[in-house]
Amino acid sequence: MFPEIIQEEKEILQAPHAYPSVSVIVPFEPKMSSRKDLEYRLDRMLEQVKQQMNGSSMQEQTVMERLEGLVRHLNYNTHKKTIALFASPLLEKVYYLDILVEEKIIVDNTFEIRDLVFSKKDIHKYLVLVLSNKHSKIFIGNTTEFIRIVSNTPQGTGAAPRDLPEQVSNFSTVQDLRETVLDKFLHHVDSSLGIILNAYDFPLFILGPEKVIGHFIKLSHHHKRITGLVNGNFDEATEAEIREAIQPQVADWKKVKQTDLLHHLEEAGSHHKLAKGMRDVWKIASEKRGRLLIVEKNFICPARYKSESDIEPDNETNTGQPFIRDAVDDVIEKVLSSGGDVEFVDPGVLDGYEHIALIRHF
């Protein structure tokens, strides 16, 4: 006997088709906005739902009553960033999520959990590390701003000739000394970069002389996070010149994003924090250990339910075991509900990961 698999969290995914099925997805940060402002925004969206349904049937009245009830009982003490309200003539549900979204209203005859992911804000932010043997600078860039957040100057890299003879005694040449001092400086830069990457999980680009970049990549603990390189001398470059140099690298943002996600997967794999393939991903998501789910946007996976933490991908519905029409949607819901994030990539990008992969917390 198999346990009941249609739990409260699965009601949306398994709900029978019924018109109107309404999804309202909206930013919701009570700690950042006044309750009055949030209530005004929600009232405005409810009015838009009425207009989109464009009728006064009993089913539509039921849906509006369900949505209004959800809004009346929202938790204004939450620390989440988004709410997703679902209502149909048959059920209602609210999710509190950690993802940033654009406002969205969907009126259809079914619910799609993927709509939550498609509603995410596409934030074009990236990090730029500018290197030389004299300085390093780190910038955060986006479509409108370019801000320097870190600047380092090495100690001793530019040592004056009169300072060298005493130090050279342990080195075969002055050049060996300079390279040793440079590597020491780059280790310091890499340490600072690690702190920045933990705070700002954005694609990383490096600008600088080819030799200096080469040294840095060899010693860096974060080389798997590098999305692109620009060789050249930018030691005296202005911020405007640096931004101009990086522009071709970030022009195709979709490519940048997908490359960065693949780097995240590679890094997670090297730290044994990666699940790939539907079955392993399901297990980690069921244990609420999913931090970032990455899946090809057209990938669906019917499956048979074996236990709470195990499924068997299978298209057959008449095996006597509970059937899941798309385990991918279930996993998306599990990851979002436990505070994780989800990203879609193009078909074929995850061929080496069986079309779906999950970076886990621990």
Side-chain angles (χ1 to χ4, degrees):
M1 178 69 65
F2 288 90
E4 179 63 52
I5 66 168
I6 303 178
Q7 303 167 356
E8 180 184 1
E9 293 82 3
K10 299 189 180 77
E11 288 180 349
I12 297 299
L13 300 175
Q14 306 293 344
H17 292 198
Y19 186 87
S21 293
V22 178
S23 307
V24 176
I25 303 165
V26 60
F28 187 79
E29 295 186 82
K31 303 303 180 184
M32 303 296 291
S33 303
S34 72
R35 179 164 180 160
K36 183 178 180 180
D37 288 342
L38 292 172
E39 288 175 342
Y40 172 78
R41 180 189 299 171
L42 289 165
D43 286 343
R44 180 172 52 81
M45 294 194 75
L46 289 179
E47 188 60 35
Q48 291 176 23
V49 172
K50 287 183 182 179
Q51 294 174 5
Q52 286 196 33
M53 287 193 295
N54 193 27
S56 57
S57 68
M58 183 65 68
Q59 290 89 345
E60 290 170 335
Q61 291 177 20
T62 299
V63 169
M64 286 308 306
E65 289 173 1
R66 289 182 180 277
L67 285 173
E68 290 165 357
L70 290 174
V71 170
R72 282 197 305 270
H73 295 95
L74 288 174
N75 176 15
Y76 283 85
N77 293 316
T78 182
H79 291 270
K80 302 294 186 179
K81 301 173 183 176
T82 290
I83 54 171
L85 310 175
F86 296 91
S88 78
L90 304 174
L91 59 85
E92 72 226 24
K93 180 73 175 178
V94 59
Y95 289 100
Y96 296 86
L97 304 169
D98 278 322
I99 60 175
L100 292 172
V101 297
E102 303 282 357
E103 289 186 4
K104 191 171 187 179
I105 296 171
I106 303 161
V107 180
D108 205 339
N109 63 355
T110 187
F111 298 109
E112 290 291 343
I113 202 74
R114 297 179 188 227
D115 288 329
L116 286 173
V117 184
F118 291 138
S119 300
K120 283 179 57 178
K121 283 188 175 180
D122 190 11
I123 301 174
H124 292 208
K125 288 189 176 181
Y126 53 89
L127 293 170
V128 178
L129 170 61
V130 181
L131 282 175
S132 74
N133 62 353
K134 297 179 181 179
H135 306 286
S136 78
K137 293 174 282 189
I138 300 179
F139 298 84
I140 290 181
N142 60 28
T143 53
T144 60
E145 296 180 313
F146 200 70
I147 304 170
R148 183 165 65 181
I149 56 174
V150 175
S151 181
N152 288 309
T153 301
Q155 299 296 318
T157 301
R162 57 183 170 81
D163 296 329
L164 293 175
E166 180 180 350
Q167 302 176 57
V168 167
S169 58
N170 293 324
F171 296 87
S172 58
T173 66
V174 172
Q175 183 62 28
D176 288 341
L177 173 60
R178 291 190 184 279
E179 291 195 2
T180 299
V181 174
L182 173 61
D183 284 351
K184 182 178 180 180
F185 168 59
L186 294 179
H187 275 293
H188 174 70
V189 172
D190 192 52
S191 178
S192 297
L193 179 62
I195 297 172
I196 297 298
L197 286 170
N198 283 333
Y200 304 101
D201 190 13
F202 305 143
L204 171 66
F205 297 89
I206 300 183
L207 279 63
E210 185 175 1
K211 182 178 179 181
V212 176
I213 291 178
H215 272 275
F216 182 75
I217 291 174
K218 286 181 181 179
L219 61 84
S220 174
H221 291 93
H222 311 289
H223 64 277
K224 291 181 179 178
R225 291 292 306 279
I226 300 171
T227 302
L229 304 172
V230 179
N231 293 320
N233 184 357
F234 297 93
D235 198 33
E236 303 297 330
T238 65
E239 291 185 9
E241 290 169 336
I242 293 170
R243 187 168 189 172
E244 183 179 356
I246 202 67
Q247 190 55 40
Q249 296 281 326
V250 300
D252 186 348
W253 186 253
K254 182 179 179 181
K255 180 180 179 181
V256 168
K257 186 71 175 179
Q258 293 191 157
T259 300
D260 183 55
L261 290 172
L262 288 173
H263 289 169
H264 274 75
L265 292 178
E266 184 180 358
E267 184 179 45
S270 67
H271 290 94
H272 308 290
K273 292 184 177 181
L274 181 67
K276 61 181 181 179
M278 194 68 246
R279 196 167 186 175
D280 288 344
V281 166
W282 178 280
K283 180 178 186 300
I284 299 302
S286 297
E287 295 169 354
K288 302 183 185 297
R289 292 194 289 150
R291 180 172 68 83
L292 175 61
L293 176 70
I294 305 173
V295 58
E296 293 179 359
K297 62 180 62 175
N298 67 341
F299 180 55
I300 60 173
C301 183
R304 287 182 289 112
Y305 180 87
K306 301 186 70 176
S307 70
E308 185 60 33
S309 61
D310 191 19
I311 58 170
E312 181 71 37
D314 195 338
N315 286 316
E316 297 295 329
T317 62
N318 57 352
T319 62
Q321 295 174 315
F323 183 73
I324 305 169
R325 66 184 179 215
D326 185 7
V328 176
D329 277 353
D330 284 47
V331 163
I332 290 172
E333 190 278 334
K334 289 173 184 289
V335 172
L336 290 176
S337 293
S338 60
D341 201 356
V342 180
E343 293 283 357
F344 284 118
V345 296
D346 287 340
V349 171
L350 298 181
D351 280 349
Y353 298 90
E354 302 176 46
H355 311 296
I356 187 168
L358 179 61
I359 298 173
R360 56 186 176 85
H361 286 291
F362 53 89

